[in-house]
Amino acid sequence: MRVNDKWWRRSGGIAALLMALAGGCATAPSGPEPEARPGERPPAPPVVGLINNPRDMREDYVYPGPPAAQQSFYWKSDQAEWRIKLPVAGFSYAGFRFLKPHNLQPRRHAYDIVFMFQPPIMARSLWIGLVDGDDQPGNILIEVPLADHVASGQGRGPIPVRIPLGAFPEEGIPLVRDRQPLDVEAPSRPFDWSDVREIRLTHPGGQLPNREIRITDLRFQRK
């Protein structure tokens, strides 16, 4: 089976799919990039596709666990889709960890998060966040409400979303992996833009429409 013949689906266990795939999509940088200093991670290219290929993804997670919250990833040729189903009430989230961290610090304010989102009504109740740091406890989460960056609408079709990285706060909440939901009383700490590791969608609480979320063409893109 070739990846462009059928949908490849991932829902819990990216590692097995990585072993099955031999080819992948890559986005080539255009133009010169700033040089990395000794010991620093190279700067990110002009476009960083985040769901182009399952081999770009290290692991995924949801809270609370399935079946209350669920997510899946689908690939067909150069098309990729992230599907999320969250509980209709209470705190919940879905996200994934990149295989390799991205250094967005050198040109942070020149980058946006860009994707297609559906249905538009779900944006009213969700926040989009980034997580930095390595595998140790204390990773920092920064978030912004999707409603601030998505035009309101009642349709079911996908709509474009573009969120400047400059819209995210400079500081965020330290994560404690074995304690959920988040400890919002914890002191905030600076986010490390040279070590961006994860992306997630969060429902902070209250009621949520009973609809499946679909995201395609998710990427960091320089203006």
Side-chain angles (χ1 to χ4, degrees):
M1 181 188 302
R2 298 193 305 273
V3 72
N4 61 350
D5 286 337
K6 294 186 179 181
W7 284 105
W8 283 92
R9 180 176 184 272
R10 188 246 146 300
S11 180
I14 285 179
L17 183 54
L18 303 188
M19 296 176 63
L21 290 175
C25 304
T27 303
S30 59
E33 292 300 314
E35 294 290 334
R37 297 176 183 176
E40 286 187 351
R41 185 171 294 108
V47 179
V48 181
L50 299 178
I51 56 173
N52 289 355
N53 192 302
R55 294 187 300 175
D56 295 334
M57 304 165 66
R58 177 174 171 181
E59 62 179 333
D60 66 315
Y61 53 83
V62 293
Y63 178 85
Q70 303 177 51
Q71 68 176 340
S72 298
F73 300 88
Y74 296 80
W75 293 272
K76 182 180 181 181
S77 186
D78 59 351
Q79 183 180 7
E81 188 172 79
W82 180 15
R83 300 181 188 177
I84 303 166
K85 190 71 163 57
L86 297 175
V88 296
F91 175 80
S92 60
Y93 59 77
F96 65 91
R97 192 170 177 84
F98 314 139
L99 181 64
K100 296 180 180 180
H102 301 298
N103 179 9
L104 300 170
Q105 180 62 50
R107 292 175 173 170
R108 171 197 161 190
H109 290 283
Y111 278 92
D112 300 330
I113 295 178
V114 183
F115 54 95
M116 300 297 293
F117 179 90
Q118 70 178 105
I121 191 174
M122 298 298 284
R124 302 175 184 176
S125 308
L126 299 171
W127 290 54
I128 188 167
L130 299 171
V131 180
D132 73 1
D134 57 21
D135 293 324
Q136 302 302 315
N139 313 91
I140 305 302
L141 168 69
I142 53 174
E143 297 179 293
V144 294
L146 268 183
D148 289 355
H149 302 276
V150 176
S152 61
Q154 301 295 326
R156 292 179 174 269
I159 58 173
V161 181
R162 181 178 289 267
I163 304 174
L165 294 190
F168 285 83
E170 298 289 340
E171 297 185 338
I173 301 171
L175 300 183
V176 180
R177 298 286 180 179
D178 59 353
R179 184 173 63 200
Q180 305 292 352
L182 303 176
D183 182 4
V184 294
E185 301 295 328
S188 60
R189 288 170 42 191
F191 187 83
D192 186 356
W193 287 99
S194 70
D195 194 22
V196 182
R197 303 268 182 154
E198 303 176 24
I199 190 166
R200 66 167 65 177
L201 281 182
T202 299
H203 176 223
Q207 296 297 308
L208 183 69
N210 186 21
R211 304 280 291 278
E212 182 182 63
I213 302 157
R214 296 191 178 192
I215 293 173
T216 57
D217 204 14
L218 176 65
R219 63 197 187 275
F220 294 127
Q221 182 166 323
R222 210 161 66 200
K223 298 177 178 67

